[in-house]
mmCIF file of all heavy atoms in Angstrom:
data_model
loop_
_atom_site.group_PDB
_atom_site.id
_atom_site.type_symbol
_atom_site.label_atom_id
_atom_site.label_comp_id
_atom_site.label_asym_id
_atom_site.label_seq_id
_atom_site.Cartn_x
_atom_site.Cartn_y
_atom_site.Cartn_z
ATOM 1 N N GLN A 54 6.553 4.478 -3.790
ATOM 2 C CA GLN A 54 6.822 3.710 -5.001
ATOM 3 C C GLN A 54 7.827 4.479 -5.850
ATOM 4 O O GLN A 54 7.487 5.509 -6.420
ATOM 5 C CB GLN A 54 5.527 3.470 -5.782
ATOM 6 C CG GLN A 54 5.678 2.553 -6.965
ATOM 7 C CD GLN A 54 4.327 2.162 -7.560
ATOM 8 O OE1 GLN A 54 3.386 2.949 -7.581
ATOM 9 N NE2 GLN A 54 4.223 0.929 -8.050
ATOM 10 N N LEU A 60 5.788 -1.432 -4.525
ATOM 11 C CA LEU A 60 5.319 -0.684 -3.362
ATOM 12 C C LEU A 60 6.186 -1.000 -2.146
ATOM 13 O O LEU A 60 6.552 -2.152 -1.916
ATOM 14 C CB LEU A 60 3.861 -1.049 -3.068
ATOM 15 C CG LEU A 60 2.870 -0.820 -4.204
ATOM 16 C CD1 LEU A 60 1.499 -1.385 -3.838
ATOM 17 C CD2 LEU A 60 2.760 0.662 -4.541
ATOM 18 N N TYR A 110 2.333 7.654 -1.107
ATOM 19 C CA TYR A 110 0.896 7.495 -0.924
ATOM 20 C C TYR A 110 0.562 7.433 0.560
ATOM 21 O O TYR A 110 1.273 6.771 1.336
ATOM 22 C CB TYR A 110 0.410 6.186 -1.538
ATOM 23 C CG TYR A 110 0.473 6.078 -3.038
ATOM 24 C CD1 TYR A 110 1.498 5.372 -3.664
ATOM 25 C CD2 TYR A 110 -0.508 6.653 -3.846
ATOM 26 C CE1 TYR A 110 1.549 5.240 -5.039
ATOM 27 C CE2 TYR A 110 -0.470 6.527 -5.228
ATOM 28 C CZ TYR A 110 0.569 5.826 -5.813
ATOM 29 O OH TYR A 110 0.606 5.697 -7.187
ATOM 30 N N LEU A 121 -6.322 0.329 3.094
ATOM 31 C CA LEU A 121 -7.696 0.096 2.641
ATOM 32 C C LEU A 121 -8.009 1.018 1.470
ATOM 33 O O LEU A 121 -8.220 0.591 0.355
ATOM 34 C CB LEU A 121 -8.678 0.332 3.786
ATOM 35 C CG LEU A 121 -8.502 -0.580 5.011
ATOM 36 C CD1 LEU A 121 -9.326 -0.077 6.180
ATOM 37 C CD2 LEU A 121 -8.875 -2.013 4.658
ATOM 38 N N TRP A 123 -6.756 4.577 -0.708
ATOM 39 C CA TRP A 123 -5.506 5.259 -0.997
ATOM 40 C C TRP A 123 -5.725 6.713 -1.430
ATOM 41 O O TRP A 123 -6.720 7.028 -2.079
ATOM 42 C CB TRP A 123 -4.765 4.536 -2.120
ATOM 43 C CG TRP A 123 -4.369 3.137 -1.790
ATOM 44 C CD1 TRP A 123 -5.207 2.075 -1.584
ATOM 45 C CD2 TRP A 123 -3.040 2.628 -1.664
ATOM 46 N NE1 TRP A 123 -4.471 0.935 -1.324
ATOM 47 C CE2 TRP A 123 -3.138 1.243 -1.366
ATOM 48 C CE3 TRP A 123 -1.767 3.193 -1.774
ATOM 49 C CZ2 TRP A 123 -2.016 0.438 -1.174
ATOM 50 C CZ3 TRP A 123 -0.655 2.381 -1.595
ATOM 51 C CH2 TRP A 123 -0.786 1.025 -1.298
ATOM 52 N N GLN B 30 6.619 -12.783 -5.465
ATOM 53 C CA GLN B 30 5.585 -12.954 -6.496
ATOM 54 C C GLN B 30 6.265 -13.201 -7.840
ATOM 55 O O GLN B 30 7.378 -12.708 -8.062
ATOM 56 C CB GLN B 30 4.727 -11.685 -6.633
ATOM 57 C CG GLN B 30 3.956 -11.255 -5.417
ATOM 58 C CD GLN B 30 3.149 -10.002 -5.703
ATOM 59 O OE1 GLN B 30 3.233 -9.013 -4.967
ATOM 60 N NE2 GLN B 30 2.341 -10.015 -6.765
ATOM 61 N N ILE B 44 -2.111 -15.834 -9.234
ATOM 62 C CA ILE B 44 -0.853 -15.193 -8.865
ATOM 63 C C ILE B 44 -0.493 -15.638 -7.452
ATOM 64 O O ILE B 44 -1.307 -15.508 -6.527
ATOM 65 C CB ILE B 44 -0.974 -13.661 -8.915
ATOM 66 C CG1 ILE B 44 -1.326 -13.192 -10.331
ATOM 67 C CG2 ILE B 44 0.336 -13.002 -8.461
ATOM 68 C CD1 ILE B 44 -1.656 -11.708 -10.425
ATOM 69 N N SER B 60 -3.555 -9.068 1.934
ATOM 70 C CA SER B 60 -4.387 -8.248 1.056
ATOM 71 C C SER B 60 -3.754 -8.199 -0.334
ATOM 72 O O SER B 60 -2.554 -8.464 -0.489
ATOM 73 C CB SER B 60 -4.568 -6.836 1.626
ATOM 74 O OG SER B 60 -3.330 -6.263 1.980
ATOM 75 N N TRP B 61 -4.588 -7.902 -1.306
ATOM 76 C CA TRP B 61 -4.145 -7.822 -2.701
ATOM 77 C C TRP B 61 -4.602 -6.496 -3.296
ATOM 78 O O TRP B 61 -5.735 -6.044 -3.036
ATOM 79 C CB TRP B 61 -4.734 -8.971 -3.518
ATOM 80 C CG TRP B 61 -4.154 -10.304 -3.205
ATOM 81 C CD1 TRP B 61 -4.589 -11.191 -2.260
ATOM 82 C CD2 TRP B 61 -3.030 -10.933 -3.856
ATOM 83 N NE1 TRP B 61 -3.805 -12.314 -2.283
ATOM 84 C CE2 TRP B 61 -2.844 -12.195 -3.249
ATOM 85 C CE3 TRP B 61 -2.167 -10.557 -4.896
ATOM 86 C CZ2 TRP B 61 -1.837 -13.076 -3.633
ATOM 87 C CZ3 TRP B 61 -1.174 -11.428 -5.275
ATOM 88 C CH2 TRP B 61 -1.011 -12.668 -4.654
ATOM 89 N N TYR B 62 -3.714 -5.899 -4.117
ATOM 90 C CA TYR B 62 -3.996 -4.601 -4.724
ATOM 91 C C TYR B 62 -3.782 -4.666 -6.222
ATOM 92 O O TYR B 62 -2.871 -5.333 -6.702
ATOM 93 C CB TYR B 62 -3.086 -3.516 -4.126
ATOM 94 C CG TYR B 62 -3.229 -3.431 -2.631
ATOM 95 C CD1 TYR B 62 -2.448 -4.220 -1.802
ATOM 96 C CD2 TYR B 62 -4.190 -2.611 -2.051
ATOM 97 C CE1 TYR B 62 -2.598 -4.178 -0.428
ATOM 98 C CE2 TYR B 62 -4.349 -2.565 -0.678
ATOM 99 C CZ TYR B 62 -3.554 -3.356 0.124
ATOM 100 O OH TYR B 62 -3.725 -3.322 1.491
ATOM 101 N N GLN B 63 -4.639 -3.950 -6.934
ATOM 102 C CA GLN B 63 -4.528 -3.800 -8.375
ATOM 103 C C GLN B 63 -4.054 -2.376 -8.655
ATOM 104 O O GLN B 63 -4.571 -1.424 -8.061
ATOM 105 C CB GLN B 63 -5.912 -4.012 -9.026
ATOM 106 C CG GLN B 63 -5.971 -3.795 -10.519
ATOM 107 C CD GLN B 63 -7.412 -3.768 -11.013
ATOM 108 O OE1 GLN B 63 -8.180 -2.866 -10.683
ATOM 109 N NE2 GLN B 63 -7.791 -4.765 -11.802
ATOM 110 N N GLN B 64 -3.079 -2.227 -9.532
ATOM 111 C CA GLN B 64 -2.597 -0.892 -9.882
ATOM 112 C C GLN B 64 -2.462 -0.749 -11.393
ATOM 113 O O GLN B 64 -1.676 -1.456 -12.018
ATOM 114 C CB GLN B 64 -1.257 -0.591 -9.219
ATOM 115 C CG GLN B 64 -0.796 0.849 -9.430
ATOM 116 C CD GLN B 64 0.531 1.165 -8.769
ATOM 117 O OE1 GLN B 64 1.424 0.330 -8.713
ATOM 118 N NE2 GLN B 64 0.667 2.398 -8.274
ATOM 119 N N HIS B 65 -3.252 0.153 -11.951
ATOM 120 C CA HIS B 65 -3.108 0.493 -13.359
ATOM 121 C C HIS B 65 -2.048 1.572 -13.499
ATOM 122 O O HIS B 65 -1.802 2.345 -12.548
ATOM 123 C CB HIS B 65 -4.441 0.966 -13.940
ATOM 124 C CG HIS B 65 -5.440 -0.150 -14.124
ATOM 125 N ND1 HIS B 65 -6.569 -0.283 -13.355
ATOM 126 C CD2 HIS B 65 -5.461 -1.181 -15.002
ATOM 127 C CE1 HIS B 65 -7.241 -1.342 -13.736
ATOM 128 N NE2 HIS B 65 -6.590 -1.924 -14.739
ATOM 129 N N PRO B 66 -1.403 1.674 -14.664
ATOM 130 C CA PRO B 66 -0.315 2.645 -14.854
ATOM 131 C C PRO B 66 -0.732 4.065 -14.503
ATOM 132 O O PRO B 66 -1.788 4.537 -14.939
ATOM 133 C CB PRO B 66 0.006 2.510 -16.346
ATOM 134 C CG PRO B 66 -0.384 1.123 -16.696
ATOM 135 C CD PRO B 66 -1.596 0.831 -15.854
ATOM 136 N N GLY B 67 0.099 4.709 -13.685
ATOM 137 C CA GLY B 67 -0.147 6.089 -13.312
ATOM 138 C C GLY B 67 -1.246 6.299 -12.299
ATOM 139 O O GLY B 67 -1.593 7.447 -12.000
ATOM 140 N N LYS B 68 -1.798 5.219 -11.776
ATOM 141 C CA LYS B 68 -2.903 5.320 -10.815
ATOM 142 C C LYS B 68 -2.486 4.802 -9.447
ATOM 143 O O LYS B 68 -1.500 4.067 -9.314
ATOM 144 C CB LYS B 68 -4.108 4.517 -11.306
ATOM 145 C CG LYS B 68 -4.636 4.951 -12.658
ATOM 146 C CD LYS B 68 -5.225 6.339 -12.596
ATOM 147 C CE LYS B 68 -5.915 6.699 -13.909
ATOM 148 N NZ LYS B 68 -6.449 8.090 -13.876
ATOM 149 N N ALA B 69 -3.270 5.170 -8.432
ATOM 150 C CA ALA B 69 -3.042 4.636 -7.105
ATOM 151 C C ALA B 69 -3.518 3.185 -7.040
ATOM 152 O O ALA B 69 -4.424 2.790 -7.773
ATOM 153 C CB ALA B 69 -3.784 5.470 -6.069
ATOM 154 N N PRO B 70 -2.919 2.390 -6.175
ATOM 155 C CA PRO B 70 -3.393 1.007 -6.002
ATOM 156 C C PRO B 70 -4.835 0.989 -5.500
ATOM 157 O O PRO B 70 -5.315 1.945 -4.885
ATOM 158 C CB PRO B 70 -2.432 0.436 -4.947
ATOM 159 C CG PRO B 70 -1.217 1.291 -5.042
ATOM 160 C CD PRO B 70 -1.728 2.659 -5.365
ATOM 161 N N LYS B 71 -5.492 -0.142 -5.752
ATOM 162 C CA LYS B 71 -6.876 -0.354 -5.318
ATOM 163 C C LYS B 71 -6.958 -1.687 -4.590
ATOM 164 O O LYS B 71 -6.453 -2.703 -5.082
ATOM 165 C CB LYS B 71 -7.812 -0.357 -6.525
ATOM 166 C CG LYS B 71 -9.256 -0.694 -6.191
ATOM 167 C CD LYS B 71 -10.084 -0.850 -7.460
ATOM 168 C CE LYS B 71 -11.511 -1.308 -7.145
ATOM 169 N NZ LYS B 71 -12.295 -1.550 -8.378
ATOM 170 N N LEU B 72 -7.590 -1.684 -3.427
ATOM 171 C CA LEU B 72 -7.753 -2.916 -2.656
ATOM 172 C C LEU B 72 -8.731 -3.851 -3.354
ATOM 173 O O LEU B 72 -9.866 -3.468 -3.639
ATOM 174 C CB LEU B 72 -8.254 -2.577 -1.250
ATOM 175 C CG LEU B 72 -8.508 -3.745 -0.307
ATOM 176 C CD1 LEU B 72 -7.206 -4.464 0.042
ATOM 177 C CD2 LEU B 72 -9.222 -3.269 0.965
ATOM 178 N N MET B 73 -8.293 -5.095 -3.594
ATOM 179 C CA MET B 73 -9.131 -6.084 -4.259
ATOM 180 C C MET B 73 -9.543 -7.220 -3.316
ATOM 181 O O MET B 73 -10.637 -7.777 -3.448
ATOM 182 C CB MET B 73 -8.392 -6.679 -5.466
ATOM 183 C CG MET B 73 -7.892 -5.652 -6.455
ATOM 184 S SD MET B 73 -9.185 -4.613 -7.121
ATOM 185 C CE MET B 73 -9.974 -5.753 -8.268
ATOM 186 N N ILE B 74 -8.655 -7.597 -2.412
ATOM 187 C CA ILE B 74 -8.919 -8.681 -1.459
ATOM 188 C C ILE B 74 -8.288 -8.272 -0.121
ATOM 189 O O ILE B 74 -7.176 -7.735 -0.102
ATOM 190 C CB ILE B 74 -8.286 -10.011 -1.920
ATOM 191 C CG1 ILE B 74 -8.919 -10.514 -3.214
ATOM 192 C CG2 ILE B 74 -8.377 -11.073 -0.809
ATOM 193 C CD1 ILE B 74 -10.348 -11.045 -3.072
ATOM 194 N N GLY B 83 -18.051 -3.650 -4.155
ATOM 195 C CA GLY B 83 -17.769 -3.096 -5.467
ATOM 196 C C GLY B 83 -16.734 -3.855 -6.270
ATOM 197 O O GLY B 83 -16.590 -3.617 -7.481
ATOM 198 N N VAL B 84 -16.000 -4.754 -5.627
ATOM 199 C CA VAL B 84 -15.007 -5.562 -6.349
ATOM 200 C C VAL B 84 -15.692 -6.793 -6.932
ATOM 201 O O VAL B 84 -16.440 -7.487 -6.222
ATOM 202 C CB VAL B 84 -13.850 -5.965 -5.428
ATOM 203 C CG1 VAL B 84 -12.924 -6.974 -6.120
ATOM 204 C CG2 VAL B 84 -13.052 -4.724 -5.017
ATOM 205 N N SER B 85 -15.417 -7.062 -8.182
ATOM 206 C CA SER B 85 -16.060 -8.173 -8.881
ATOM 207 C C SER B 85 -15.781 -9.506 -8.189
ATOM 208 O O SER B 85 -14.683 -9.741 -7.675
ATOM 209 C CB SER B 85 -15.541 -8.236 -10.315
ATOM 210 O OG SER B 85 -15.964 -9.420 -10.954
ATOM 211 N N ARG B 87 -15.203 -12.066 -9.600
ATOM 212 C CA ARG B 87 -14.223 -12.804 -10.402
ATOM 213 C C ARG B 87 -12.865 -12.865 -9.688
ATOM 214 O O ARG B 87 -12.006 -13.656 -10.072
ATOM 215 C CB ARG B 87 -14.050 -12.139 -11.773
ATOM 216 C CG ARG B 87 -15.293 -12.129 -12.622
ATOM 217 C CD ARG B 87 -15.036 -11.562 -14.023
ATOM 218 N NE ARG B 87 -14.570 -10.192 -14.026
ATOM 219 C CZ ARG B 87 -13.300 -9.828 -14.262
ATOM 220 N NH1 ARG B 87 -12.384 -10.751 -14.525
ATOM 221 N NH2 ARG B 87 -12.978 -8.556 -14.267
ATOM 222 N N PHE B 88 -12.712 -12.025 -8.687
ATOM 223 C CA PHE B 88 -11.472 -11.989 -7.914
ATOM 224 C C PHE B 88 -11.663 -12.776 -6.612
ATOM 225 O O PHE B 88 -12.632 -12.550 -5.888
ATOM 226 C CB PHE B 88 -11.084 -10.546 -7.579
ATOM 227 C CG PHE B 88 -10.665 -9.743 -8.776
ATOM 228 C CD1 PHE B 88 -11.617 -9.147 -9.591
ATOM 229 C CD2 PHE B 88 -9.326 -9.592 -9.092
ATOM 230 C CE1 PHE B 88 -11.235 -8.407 -10.709
ATOM 231 C CE2 PHE B 88 -8.929 -8.854 -10.198
ATOM 232 C CZ PHE B 88 -9.881 -8.262 -11.011
ATOM 233 N N LEU B 99 -3.954 -15.201 -5.452
ATOM 234 C CA LEU B 99 -5.055 -14.414 -6.012
ATOM 235 C C LEU B 99 -5.453 -15.071 -7.315
ATOM 236 O O LEU B 99 -4.603 -15.293 -8.178
ATOM 237 C CB LEU B 99 -4.606 -12.979 -6.277
ATOM 238 C CG LEU B 99 -5.609 -12.092 -7.037
ATOM 239 C CD1 LEU B 99 -6.803 -11.750 -6.137
ATOM 240 C CD2 LEU B 99 -4.941 -10.809 -7.537
ATOM 241 N N ILE B 101 -8.017 -14.789 -10.617
ATOM 242 C CA ILE B 101 -8.934 -13.959 -11.401
ATOM 243 C C ILE B 101 -9.556 -14.874 -12.447
ATOM 244 O O ILE B 101 -8.839 -15.461 -13.269
ATOM 245 C CB ILE B 101 -8.226 -12.785 -12.081
ATOM 246 C CG1 ILE B 101 -7.386 -11.985 -11.075
ATOM 247 C CG2 ILE B 101 -9.249 -11.866 -12.760
ATOM 248 C CD1 ILE B 101 -6.519 -10.901 -11.700
ATOM 249 N N LEU B 104 -11.102 -13.724 -17.287
ATOM 250 C CA LEU B 104 -10.242 -12.569 -17.553
ATOM 251 C C LEU B 104 -10.866 -11.589 -18.535
ATOM 252 O O LEU B 104 -11.446 -11.993 -19.559
ATOM 253 C CB LEU B 104 -8.900 -13.025 -18.109
ATOM 254 C CG LEU B 104 -7.761 -13.304 -17.137
ATOM 255 C CD1 LEU B 104 -6.530 -13.740 -17.906
ATOM 256 C CD2 LEU B 104 -7.457 -12.107 -16.256
ATOM 257 N N GLN B 105 -10.706 -10.300 -18.218
ATOM 258 C CA GLN B 105 -11.172 -9.243 -19.094
ATOM 259 C C GLN B 105 -10.011 -8.298 -19.385
ATOM 260 O O GLN B 105 -9.062 -8.205 -18.602
ATOM 261 C CB GLN B 105 -12.328 -8.478 -18.443
ATOM 262 C CG GLN B 105 -13.543 -9.345 -18.131
ATOM 263 C CD GLN B 105 -14.679 -8.587 -17.474
ATOM 264 O OE1 GLN B 105 -14.581 -7.382 -17.215
ATOM 265 N NE2 GLN B 105 -15.783 -9.282 -17.203
ATOM 266 N N ALA B 106 -10.120 -7.585 -20.476
ATOM 267 C CA ALA B 106 -9.042 -6.678 -20.880
ATOM 268 C C ALA B 106 -8.708 -5.677 -19.773
ATOM 269 O O ALA B 106 -7.542 -5.342 -19.547
ATOM 270 C CB ALA B 106 -9.429 -5.946 -22.164
ATOM 271 N N GLU B 107 -9.718 -5.231 -19.040
ATOM 272 C CA GLU B 107 -9.517 -4.228 -17.986
ATOM 273 C C GLU B 107 -8.764 -4.780 -16.776
ATOM 274 O O GLU B 107 -8.362 -4.017 -15.907
ATOM 275 C CB GLU B 107 -10.871 -3.685 -17.523
ATOM 276 C CG GLU B 107 -11.726 -4.685 -16.773
ATOM 277 C CD GLU B 107 -13.201 -4.554 -17.056
ATOM 278 O OE1 GLU B 107 -13.582 -4.410 -18.233
ATOM 279 O OE2 GLU B 107 -13.984 -4.602 -16.086
ATOM 280 N N ASP B 108 -8.578 -6.104 -16.721
ATOM 281 C CA ASP B 108 -7.829 -6.696 -15.608
ATOM 282 C C ASP B 108 -6.333 -6.534 -15.805
ATOM 283 O O ASP B 108 -5.555 -6.779 -14.871
ATOM 284 C CB ASP B 108 -8.159 -8.193 -15.470
ATOM 285 C CG ASP B 108 -9.621 -8.455 -15.181
ATOM 286 O OD1 ASP B 108 -10.286 -7.569 -14.583
ATOM 287 O OD2 ASP B 108 -10.113 -9.534 -15.558
ATOM 288 N N GLU B 109 -5.909 -6.138 -16.994
ATOM 289 C CA GLU B 109 -4.475 -5.968 -17.248
ATOM 290 C C GLU B 109 -3.957 -4.836 -16.363
ATOM 291 O O GLU B 109 -4.395 -3.695 -16.452
ATOM 292 C CB GLU B 109 -4.222 -5.658 -18.722
ATOM 293 C CG GLU B 109 -2.736 -5.560 -19.061
ATOM 294 C CD GLU B 109 -2.477 -5.697 -20.552
ATOM 295 O OE1 GLU B 109 -2.735 -6.779 -21.108
ATOM 296 O OE2 GLU B 109 -2.012 -4.688 -21.133
ATOM 297 N N ALA B 110 -3.022 -5.185 -15.481
ATOM 298 C CA ALA B 110 -2.519 -4.251 -14.466
ATOM 299 C C ALA B 110 -1.402 -4.933 -13.688
ATOM 300 O O ALA B 110 -1.082 -6.094 -13.927
ATOM 301 C CB ALA B 110 -3.641 -3.855 -13.512
ATOM 302 N N ASP B 111 -0.830 -4.193 -12.761
ATOM 303 C CA ASP B 111 0.107 -4.776 -11.801
ATOM 304 C C ASP B 111 -0.665 -5.169 -10.549
ATOM 305 O O ASP B 111 -1.585 -4.456 -10.117
ATOM 306 C CB ASP B 111 1.197 -3.771 -11.431
ATOM 307 C CG ASP B 111 2.114 -3.453 -12.601
ATOM 308 O OD1 ASP B 111 2.354 -4.355 -13.430
ATOM 309 O OD2 ASP B 111 2.573 -2.309 -12.680
ATOM 310 N N TYR B 112 -0.285 -6.297 -9.961
ATOM 311 C CA TYR B 112 -0.938 -6.788 -8.751
ATOM 312 C C TYR B 112 0.103 -7.000 -7.660
ATOM 313 O O TYR B 112 1.164 -7.572 -7.904
ATOM 314 C CB TYR B 112 -1.687 -8.099 -9.033
ATOM 315 C CG TYR B 112 -2.897 -7.881 -9.916
ATOM 316 C CD1 TYR B 112 -2.771 -7.846 -11.295
ATOM 317 C CD2 TYR B 112 -4.162 -7.675 -9.365
ATOM 318 C CE1 TYR B 112 -3.868 -7.607 -12.108
ATOM 319 C CE2 TYR B 112 -5.271 -7.437 -10.173
ATOM 320 C CZ TYR B 112 -5.106 -7.394 -11.545
ATOM 321 O OH TYR B 112 -6.202 -7.163 -12.351
ATOM 322 N N TYR B 113 -0.227 -6.515 -6.467
ATOM 323 C CA TYR B 113 0.680 -6.618 -5.327
ATOM 324 C C TYR B 113 -0.017 -7.340 -4.173
ATOM 325 O O TYR B 113 -1.169 -7.018 -3.844
ATOM 326 C CB TYR B 113 1.110 -5.239 -4.845
ATOM 327 C CG TYR B 113 1.947 -4.464 -5.826
ATOM 328 C CD1 TYR B 113 1.361 -3.627 -6.772
ATOM 329 C CD2 TYR B 113 3.340 -4.580 -5.817
ATOM 330 C CE1 TYR B 113 2.129 -2.919 -7.679
ATOM 331 C CE2 TYR B 113 4.119 -3.869 -6.719
ATOM 332 C CZ TYR B 113 3.513 -3.041 -7.648
ATOM 333 O OH TYR B 113 4.286 -2.337 -8.536
ATOM 334 N N CYS B 114 0.694 -8.264 -3.555
ATOM 335 C CA CYS B 114 0.198 -8.836 -2.311
ATOM 336 C C CYS B 114 0.850 -8.091 -1.153
ATOM 337 O O CYS B 114 1.850 -7.382 -1.319
ATOM 338 C CB CYS B 114 0.486 -10.333 -2.218
ATOM 339 S SG CYS B 114 2.245 -10.780 -2.204
ATOM 340 N N PHE B 124 5.156 -5.867 1.509
ATOM 341 C CA PHE B 124 4.559 -6.044 0.197
ATOM 342 C C PHE B 124 5.348 -7.065 -0.620
ATOM 343 O O PHE B 124 6.541 -7.297 -0.379
ATOM 344 C CB PHE B 124 4.569 -4.726 -0.586
ATOM 345 C CG PHE B 124 3.470 -3.768 -0.201
ATOM 346 C CD1 PHE B 124 3.714 -2.756 0.704
ATOM 347 C CD2 PHE B 124 2.206 -3.879 -0.755
ATOM 348 C CE1 PHE B 124 2.715 -1.856 1.059
ATOM 349 C CE2 PHE B 124 1.200 -2.990 -0.406
ATOM 350 C CZ PHE B 124 1.458 -1.983 0.505
ATOM 351 N N THR B 128 3.309 -8.275 -9.615
ATOM 352 C CA THR B 128 3.162 -9.148 -10.781
ATOM 353 C C THR B 128 2.436 -8.398 -11.872
ATOM 354 O O THR B 128 1.351 -7.851 -11.640
ATOM 355 C CB THR B 128 2.354 -10.411 -10.418
ATOM 356 O OG1 THR B 128 3.051 -11.156 -9.427
ATOM 357 C CG2 THR B 128 2.128 -11.281 -11.656
ATOM 358 N N LEU B 130 0.194 -8.461 -14.936
ATOM 359 C CA LEU B 130 -0.747 -9.327 -15.626
ATOM 360 C C LEU B 130 -1.010 -8.780 -17.021
ATOM 361 O O LEU B 130 -1.428 -7.623 -17.167
ATOM 362 C CB LEU B 130 -2.063 -9.416 -14.854
ATOM 363 C CG LEU B 130 -3.246 -10.076 -15.607
ATOM 364 C CD1 LEU B 130 -2.917 -11.525 -15.963
ATOM 365 C CD2 LEU B 130 -4.523 -10.004 -14.785
ATOM 366 N N VAL B 132 -3.216 -9.413 -20.440
ATOM 367 C CA VAL B 132 -4.357 -10.109 -21.051
ATOM 368 C C VAL B 132 -4.107 -10.144 -22.553
ATOM 369 O O VAL B 132 -4.063 -9.105 -23.219
ATOM 370 C CB VAL B 132 -5.681 -9.400 -20.722
ATOM 371 C CG1 VAL B 132 -6.853 -10.139 -21.369
ATOM 372 C CG2 VAL B 132 -5.879 -9.328 -19.206
#
Side-chain angles (χ1 to χ4, degrees):
Chain A
Q54 187 170 35
L60 303 173
Y110 292 101
L121 299 168
W123 298 67
Chain B
Q30 299 181 232
I44 299 172
S60 50
W61 289 89
Y62 303 88
Q63 176 191 66
Q64 187 180 36
H65 288 110
K68 301 293 187 182
K71 175 187 175 184
L72 179 66
M73 305 302 285
I74 295 288
V84 172
S85 170
R87 297 185 299 105
F88 292 83
L99 172 71
I101 309 173
L104 269 180
Q105 300 179 359
E107 68 216 45
D108 299 333
E109 184 162 295
D111 293 327
Y112 291 85
Y113 294 90
C114 63
F124 280 97
T128 298
L130 168 62
V132 180

